[in-house]
Amino acid sequence: MRVILLGAPGAGKGTISTLLVEQYGIVQISTGDILRNEVKKGSTVGKEAAGYMNRGALVPDQVIMECIRERLKEPDCAKGFILDGFPRTKAQADALKALLAGMGLVLDAVVNLEAPEDVLLRRLTSRRTCSNTACQAIFNIYTKPPRVEGKCDVCGSAIVQRDDETEAVIQARLSTYREKTAPLIDYYAKDPVFFAVPCLDAKECFAQIGARLKK
Ligand code: AMP
């Protein structure tokens, strides 16, 4: 199964991806996670990406496409994948279309996760992420606090607030989303595999996606 998850920052793409991974045994490909790993490693890609990420801007399309091209070649993608946070521009969507066609692959679903802006803001400012790059479990200080304060339930590493989750950067990310990524809803709207789902409660949202995927 091959799925694109669209949605604003904080819409729930990471949470829904985790549930889809468990249910369908497919891999999550988050360009945000790939870039954060590159930043942590101090690679050339990471050094180029960090500046854009820390001010809530998008990393250039060609850098992203290079990451995706390499990632989709990995054998673990054979069973299927969830694209989380990609594509984020029309140029990326066009490049993805060509890439998938070249690989003989089709998409099973393009899902737009919907949540009102006050919900997005609350989720983003209350989110905490495991600092262990191999884990990156997500917590929320209100709705999903860790069992031990400041420590990841899964691996015990420290949980932290991401550099790009300060109020000012969050506002910049939301405005980048509105300008560059929201137009992708129209881009995919006529595709028969496109559908939109409200994402206020993760379990309910996941159930609705599951019901659509079975059709
Ligand atoms: P995310 O965790 O998906 O919100 O991504 C964090 C940051 O990584 C974004 O604010 C962008 O700076 C960058 N990023 C992630 N995915 C993309 C993408 N597909 N295109 C451009 N920049 C991206």
Side-chain angles (χ1 to χ4, degrees):
M1 181 174 312
R2 288 172 288 272
V3 180
I4 292 178
L5 285 186
L6 295 176
K13 300 187 294 296
T15 308
I16 296 299
S17 292
T18 307
L19 296 170
L20 288 168
V21 166
E22 279 168 16
Q23 174 96 10
Y24 297 100
I26 53 181
V27 291
Q28 173 196 13
I29 301 178
S30 153
T31 40
D33 286 349
I34 293 173
L35 293 170
R36 279 184 286 279
N37 285 339
E38 295 297 324
V39 171
K40 209 149 219 174
K41 281 195 292 188
S43 68
T44 316
V45 166
K47 283 187 187 127
E48 186 179 353
Y52 295 97
M53 295 170 80
N54 289 339
R55 59 174 198 273
L58 293 182
V59 173
D61 292 329
Q62 57 280 21
V63 174
I64 299 292
M65 287 317 301
E66 196 46 43
C67 294
I68 285 288
R69 225 170 268 127
E70 289 307 309
R71 185 64 188 89
L72 290 182
K73 281 189 208 151
E74 301 280 329
D76 64 347
C77 293
K79 269 185 84 179
F81 48 79
I82 304 147
L83 297 176
D84 159 6
F86 170 85
R88 250 171 156 111
T89 62
K90 186 174 172 301
Q92 290 178 18
D94 285 338
L96 174 67
K97 203 174 258 178
L99 181 62
L100 292 178
M103 296 172 84
L105 300 175
V106 290
L107 292 168
D108 298 285
V110 178
V111 187
N112 186 43
L113 301 182
E114 298 174 329
E117 186 139 336
D118 58 326
V119 173
L120 300 176
L121 274 174
R122 187 178 145 93
R123 281 183 188 157
L124 289 167
T125 50
S126 58
R127 184 147 77 177
R128 300 292 179 274
T129 308
C130 176
S131 58
N132 172 3
T133 47
C135 176
Q136 291 189 342
I138 296 169
F139 299 88
N140 183 295
I141 53 173
Y142 306 118
T143 57
K144 194 189 169 198
R147 283 191 293 271
V148 178
E149 203 186 321
K151 287 216 184 321
C152 175
D153 290 353
V154 182
C155 74
S157 303
I159 60 166
V160 294
Q161 191 163 21
R162 272 167 38 179
D163 290 344
D164 64 350
E165 288 183 343
T166 59
E167 187 83 35
V169 181
I170 285 167
Q171 289 294 356
R173 287 168 65 202
L174 288 173
S175 114
T176 302
Y177 166 79
R178 283 190 287 269
E179 187 195 336
K180 305 261 172 61
T181 309
L184 289 184
I185 299 169
D186 277 346
Y187 180 99
Y188 285 111
K190 288 188 202 80
D191 195 315
V193 299
F194 174 87
F195 59 93
V197 182
C199 199
L200 296 174
D201 174 78
K203 281 203 183 110
E204 173 61 22
C205 173
F206 180 63
Q208 287 191 35
I209 294 172
R212 283 293 296 253
L213 291 177
K214 275 198 203 103
K215 279 187 188 162

